[in-house]
Amino acid sequence: MAVALLLDAALSLNGFVSEQAALFPNAAASLADMAASLLPSGIALAGFASGIVLALAGFMLPMHRFYRSREARLVQERERLAAQNAKLAQQAASDGLLGIANRREFERVLKLEWRRAARERQPLSLLMIDIDCFKRFNDSYGHQAGDTCLRGVADVLRAAAARPGDMVARYGGEEMAVLMPHTSLEGAVRMAERIHAMLAERALPFAASPVAERVTVSIGVSSMLPVRNANRSALVKQADEGLYAAKESGRNRTATVPNLRLISQEEEPRAWTHRAQGI
């Protein structure tokens, strides 16, 4: 019934049917008169609402663009800060002269690789490399030429240790190190031989050298299968002992000390004290 009344009123209001032809003439006429009286108010209300919507749109759209622009600037600023922090971290981890890892970064990576090698039961190898008679090189050519020599040797080491997992670091002074995960003693010795060959090919001049008329290096090699009760400093100690042996036997060569006993955490301070005292 209600639907019929509304339909009659709508048709009568819009002139589609006459009031006499409506199903309920009186009711349809009353509803039509009510709708007609309310129509101007509805139009005004609709106009007012449309004005509010347009005003809000005129205010919100610039605000939206402003916040989008601000968000984009914040994203760019975060990316810039992240890149700057990464650059600072890289600078803190590298040697300023040679562009390879510094001693602190070497110690950090050694700790990580030692734990991973122990967990995966994989060998970890290390080369300790020292430029032969470097003090004489500096005395003969000057410290600027000495810096150039250091950079040349570092370039050779980077080219030789080209695997992604290998790490070349400056251990101190003219001494450098190459850390090689997942590498056996035989593989480490082959790497040392490759370094000797590449350095000979590079032929950095050193006329005052008692070893050769070019820059040479002595290399100590160590390789271990890390275990829980062993300390990572044993790997460095073994390579250092090999380096000492290479120098004592004439320089420009590689030496290993494969029978060095692993030093546990508890024994390490006493062992290093004994070594410092010459025991």
Side-chain angles (χ1 to χ4, degrees), residues 38-151:
L38 293 175
L39 186 58
S41 300
I43 293 174
L45 182 61
F48 178 72
S50 299
I52 292 177
V53 170
L54 290 175
L56 288 174
F59 175 76
M60 294 300 294
L61 286 176
M63 290 294 295
H64 178 68
R65 287 194 292 267
F66 170 77
Y67 282 112
R68 288 289 300 272
S69 175
R70 182 180 180 183
E71 183 180 2
R73 289 197 302 270
L74 289 175
V75 170
Q76 292 177 353
E77 182 65 15
R78 284 197 296 267
E79 292 176 350
R80 186 187 69 81
L81 289 175
Q84 185 177 3
N85 290 335
K87 183 178 180 180
L88 291 174
Q90 182 180 7
Q91 290 175 350
S94 63
D95 182 83
L97 176 64
L98 305 184
I100 57 179
N102 56 23
R103 173 71 174 271
R104 182 174 61 180
E105 181 68 3
F106 170 79
E107 297 289 353
R108 186 188 71 84
V109 175
L110 174 60
K111 181 179 180 180
L112 295 177
E113 292 295 349
W114 181 271
R115 290 178 176 177
R116 185 169 70 171
R119 184 173 61 253
E120 298 177 357
R121 303 298 297 163
Q122 291 291 331
L124 181 64
S125 295
L126 175 66
L127 306 183
M128 295 297 289
I129 303 155
D130 190 74
I131 300 176
D132 294 327
C133 308
F134 187 68
K135 184 178 182 303
R136 182 176 294 186
F137 186 97
N138 276 335
D139 293 340
S140 300
Y141 300 104
H143 289 282
Q144 288 187 346
D147 291 345
T148 302
C149 173
L150 287 170
R151 284 192 289 265

Side-chain angles (χ1 to χ4, degrees), residues 178-259:
V178 179
L179 184 65
M180 295 170 290
H182 294 192
T183 304
S184 65
L185 179 62
E186 292 76 13
V189 170
R190 286 195 297 271
M191 174 63 75
E193 293 171 350
R194 183 182 181 187
I195 291 171
H196 285 300
M198 292 178 67
L199 196 57
E201 184 178 354
R202 184 74 177 265
L204 300 171
F206 186 7
S209 172
V211 181
E213 293 186 354
R214 56 179 176 80
V215 173
T216 59
V217 295
S218 297
I219 303 177
V221 181
S222 63
S223 183
M224 292 183 179
L225 187 64
V227 292
R228 182 174 299 178
N229 66 338
N231 190 280
R232 61 184 178 274
S233 63
L235 184 71
V236 178
K237 176 178 171 59
Q238 185 172 359
D240 190 52
E241 294 288 347
L243 177 59
Y244 179 80
K247 286 182 171 293
E248 285 293 302
S249 58
R251 296 187 174 91
N252 191 26
R253 64 194 65 205
T254 295
T256 62
V257 185
N259 296 323

